[in-house]
Amino acid sequence: MQRCACTIKSMSATRPSLAWKIATANILLALFAVLLAGMLQYRKQRRILATTMRQELTQVVTSGALLIDGEKVEALTRGHSLAEAVTVTQVLRSLSIVNPAVARVYVLDVGPDGALRLLLGLGVMTDVDPASAVSARVRECLARGAPIITEIYEDSDGQWLSAFHPLRDRQTHVVAVLGADLRASDLQGEARERLKSTLLSALAAAAVAILLSVLLARGVTRPLKLMAESTSQIAAGNLNIRLNVRSRDEVGELARSFNQMVERLSAAAVERGHLQDELLEKQRMEHELSLAAEIQRSFQPLAFPCSPWFCTCARTVPAQVVGGDFYDFLELADSRQGIVIGDVAGRGIGAALYLARLISDFHAAAARTASPREALERLNQQLLTRSTRGLFVTMTYLVLDPQAGEVCYAAAGHLPMLRRRGGTHDVEILSGDEGLPLGIEKRPLLADHTLQLAPGDTLLLVTDGVVEVLCHDRAVFKMDRLAEIFRRAGAGAGQLVEGIFDEMGRLCSVPPGDDLTVLAITWTPERAGVSSS
C-alpha cells in the first residue's frame, strides 16, 4: 500500500487530480445551465408579457368600442358641435385611468383627402404618418371592420404595440377606428427585471452546488486512489482477490458491492454451465417436437382424392408445433369416398398424442360399417373405454357416392357444413342435429343425414379455430364472414381452401390461438360426361 501511495503522489504532481476534474466539470455545467436557463426564461417572459399586453390592449379597445357612441363619432367626422367631442373624450380619459399602462388612446378616421386624421386622442397630438406601419393596419381595420393588433413597431417616440377596433354607427357602418398604444420598452424592461431576478437566484443555487460538488469530489476520490492497485489485479483476471476498504460511506459500499460482484462472477460460471445444459435440453425438446410434427404430418393424406366425378382439398395449420385438428380420406366399397374432419379438445402435445391413437381407431370403426353414425358411435365407445380425462373430439364424417352425388353424413358436436350451389353460388349453412362430442357420453345422440348434391355444388367444412380467429377490428371471424368468403371464392376445391386462408391472413393479423383446418369437396359430374339435367 505504501508503494501504491508513492505512485499516486507522483501522478498527482504531474497532472490534475480527479477531484479537480470533477469540480471543474461541475462548474462549467452549472454556468452553462445558468446561462441557458436565463436565455430561455428571458424569451419565455417576453412572450408571456407580449401576450398579456396584447390581451390588455384588445380589452381596452373592445370595451372602448362598446362605450363610445358611433353616432357621436360620426358627428365629429362631419365637424359638428363640441358636445360630441367632450363625450368621446370622457370615454377616452376613463379608459386611460382604468388602464394606466396604456400610453395613448385615440380615434382616427379617413379625411376627405383620403388621408388618416386624428379626431380625438390622449397622448397623441398629430395625424398618423401615411407611410407608417400603423397607417396600413388602421386602413385594414377600416376595410375589414374587425379588431386588429400590431406587432412591435418604431416611430419617432419609441417602440410601440398597438390595437385597433372599428367604431360603428347605428346602421353598423364603420365610421372611425379606436386605437390604443403600449410602449414596447415597458415590455423589455419588465422582461429584463424578471431575467435579473431569475439569474440571481440561479447563480446563488449554482454557487452552492459548485461548493458541494468540490467537497464531495475530494471525499470520493481520495479512497478511490487507494483502491486503484487492488482493482488492477482484479482487471488482470484474479477473481480471488477482494478489495479491503473499510470506510462506511458510499465508497465503502462500492467496495463491498465490488466484492459481491466478484463472488457473483464466480457463481455465474457455475450458473453458465447450468444454462448451457438447459439450452441443450431445450434444443433436444425442439428437435423432438419437430420430429413429432413430421410424424403428425405423416398421418395426413399425401394426396387429395380427385376423379372426374368430384374433387377434394384440405389444409391444416396448427397453433403450435403440433395440434389436435385432423382430416382424412377413406376408400370405401362400391367406389364410395369417406371424408372426415375433426378437432381434439385443446392443442399442443396432449392433443397430438390423443389424435395419434384416434385416427387408427376411426379407420377400424369406419371399415366395419357403411353408416357414418354407426362408425362414430363405435369410435365413441372406444374413446370412453380409454377415458382420457379432459380430452374429447368433435367430428363430421361424410360418405360420398360420387356417381349419384349423394352424401350421407353424421356430426358429433362439430361445426355445421356449408353448401354452395353450383349454379347460383348461394351459400347455406347446414345446421341441424350435430350431436355431442365423442368421448364424453355413452349416447352421443348422433344421426345419419342425407344430402343430394347438384352439379357444381361445393361442401365446406372447418374447425372452430377458423371462425374464432381474431381480425384487425378485434372481432372474431364468425360463420357469416366465412360464408361470404365462400360465396365469392373460386370454383375449384383447391382455390377455395387457399382463398379462405389468404383472406384470414389479410383480415386477421393476430396469431391464431387455435388450430385451423379447412376442407372442401366439389361434385363435378359434368367432367365425367354426365348431363346436368
Side-chain angles (χ1 to χ4, degrees):
M1 295 301 292
Q2 292 177 352
R3 181 173 60 85
C4 179
C6 293
T7 302
I8 294 173
K9 290 179 180 178
S10 62
M11 292 172 60
S12 300
T14 57
R15 60 184 180 183
S17 65
L18 179 61
W20 282 111
K21 290 181 180 180
I22 296 175
T24 303
N26 287 333
I27 291 172
L28 294 176
L29 285 174
L31 292 175
F32 175 76
V34 169
L35 292 175
L36 180 61
M39 181 181 66
L40 295 177
Q41 185 68 14
Y42 178 70
R43 296 180 62 183
K44 178 181 178 181
Q45 291 298 331
R46 281 205 60 174
R47 287 196 301 269
I48 294 174
L49 289 172
T51 302
T52 303
M53 287 185 173
R54 286 189 175 93
Q55 293 174 349
E56 184 177 352
L57 279 177
T58 302
Q59 183 179 1
V60 169
V61 295
T62 301
S63 59
L66 295 175
L67 294 173
I68 296 175
D69 188 353
E71 296 294 333
K72 291 182 172 56
V73 175
E74 184 180 15
L76 287 175
T77 61
R78 294 195 297 267
H80 287 189
S81 66
L82 189 61
E84 288 81 0
V86 172
T87 302
V88 175
T89 302
Q90 289 177 349
V91 174
L92 297 181
R93 185 172 288 107
S94 64
L95 291 175
S96 180
I97 294 172
V98 173
N99 303 277
V102 177
R104 304 188 300 201
V105 186
Y106 46 88
V107 177
L108 300 172
D109 78 331
V110 179
D113 58 352
L116 292 177
R117 63 179 180 178
L118 177 67
L119 294 179
L120 290 172
L122 298 178
V124 181
M125 304 305 296
T126 61
D127 292 338
V128 179
D129 184 1
S132 66
V134 174
S135 177
R137 301 299 281 173
V138 171
R139 292 184 183 278
E140 182 181 355
C141 180
L142 287 168
R144 291 174 51 189
I148 290 177
I149 188 164
T150 69
E151 299 297 331
I152 296 176
Y153 65 92
E154 186 173 0
D155 62 11
S156 58
D157 294 331
Q159 292 183 335
W160 300 90
L161 187 67
S162 302
F164 304 101
H165 197 289
L167 299 175
R168 302 176 183 273
D169 58 13
R170 294 180 182 176
Q171 286 74 37
T172 70
H173 297 147
V174 177
V175 296
V177 171
L178 174 63
D181 299 343
L182 278 173
R183 288 189 180 275
S185 57
D186 295 342
L187 167 65
Q188 296 173 347
E190 181 67 20
R192 281 194 294 268
E193 288 299 322
R194 295 190 182 185
L195 173 62
K196 186 185 299 183
S197 176
T198 302
L199 287 177
L200 288 176
S201 300
L203 286 173
V208 174
I210 290 170
L211 178 60
L212 291 177
S213 67
V214 171
L215 296 176
L216 290 175
R218 293 182 63 183
V220 170
T221 56
R222 188 180 297 109
L224 286 178
K225 294 177 182 179
L226 299 177
M227 293 169 55
E229 182 69 21
S230 299
T231 305
S232 63
Q233 296 184 34
I234 295 174
N238 184 6
L239 297 180
N240 295 321
I241 197 171
R242 298 294 184 269
L243 295 177
N244 187 19
V245 178
R246 300 182 181 278
S247 61
R248 297 182 181 181
D249 56 8
E250 289 79 1
V251 177
E253 185 65 27
L254 174 62
R256 288 187 289 273
S257 299
F258 194 87
N259 290 335
Q260 292 176 2
M261 181 191 68
V262 176
E263 294 174 358
R264 290 171 183 171
L265 285 174
S266 300
V270 179
E271 182 67 20
R272 187 164 53 248
H274 294 322
L275 291 176
Q276 184 68 24
D277 294 339
E278 292 179 2
L279 178 60
L280 294 175
E281 179 67 16
K282 181 181 178 181
Q283 292 175 345
R284 185 184 66 81
M285 288 294 296
E286 291 177 349
H287 178 66
E288 292 180 356
L289 283 174
S290 178
L291 291 177
E294 292 182 9
I295 294 172
Q296 188 177 49
R297 284 193 292 271
S298 69
F299 294 157
Q300 300 174 2
L302 298 177
F304 304 118
C306 283
S307 74
W309 297 92
F310 71 97
C311 189
T312 64
C313 185
R315 181 181 173 188
T316 184
V317 176
Q320 300 177 4
V321 180
V322 292
D325 282 8
F326 69 96
Y327 61 87
D328 205 353
F329 303 97
L330 298 83
E331 297 288 343
L332 303 177
D334 300 328
S335 300
R336 291 174 302 129
Q337 180 68 51
I339 303 167
V340 64
I341 185 172
D343 181 4
V344 176
R347 55 184 181 274
I349 297 178
L353 294 175
Y354 188 83
L355 175 60
R357 178 70 181 273
L358 173 70
I359 294 177
S360 62
D361 290 343
F362 172 72
H363 277 241
R368 298 174 62 182
T369 178
S371 167
R373 175 187 60 80
E374 292 181 6
L376 294 182
E377 287 178 346
R378 290 175 183 272
L379 177 62
N380 183 58
Q381 294 302 319
Q382 293 178 343
L383 296 179
L384 289 175
T385 300
R386 291 199 297 271
S387 64
T388 303
R389 179 178 297 178
L391 289 178
F392 58 87
V393 60
T394 66
M395 295 178 64
T396 296
Y397 176 36
L398 302 85
V399 176
L400 169 66
D401 185 342
Q403 298 183 11
E406 184 178 271
V407 176
C408 182
Y409 69 93
H414 203 76
L415 291 176
M417 283 192 301
L418 287 82
R419 174 183 182 177
R420 186 180 67 186
R421 300 286 183 176
T424 63
H425 269 223
D426 291 337
V427 175
E428 60 178 320
I429 300 175
L430 303 177
S431 300
D433 185 9
E434 281 81 28
L436 298 177
L438 305 182
I440 298 178
E441 296 288 343
K442 292 183 178 180
R443 296 182 179 180
L445 306 177
L446 307 179
D448 281 332
H449 303 276
T450 302
L451 179 66
Q452 179 61 51
L453 299 178
D457 281 4
T458 301
L459 298 179
L460 178 65
L461 298 97
V462 299
T463 56
D464 56 1
V466 174
V467 297
E468 293 175 357
V469 67
L470 285 177
C471 298
H472 293 303
D473 55 4
R474 308 303 297 174
V476 294
F477 202 68
K478 291 187 179 180
M479 189 69 79
D480 294 339
R481 182 174 290 183
L482 177 65
E484 178 60 23
I485 296 173
F486 186 20
R487 185 184 65 80
R488 294 185 281 105
Q495 292 178 331
L496 171 60
V497 172
E498 292 305 317
I500 291 175
F501 274 97
D502 290 344
E503 194 71 10
M504 282 193 294
R506 186 180 68 84
L507 296 176
C508 309
S509 61
V510 180
D514 199 358
D515 306 327
L516 310 175
T517 301
V518 178
L519 188 149
I521 311 153
T522 302
W523 190 51
T524 56
E526 60 273 8
R527 294 172 53 192
V530 178
S531 173
S532 299
S533 60

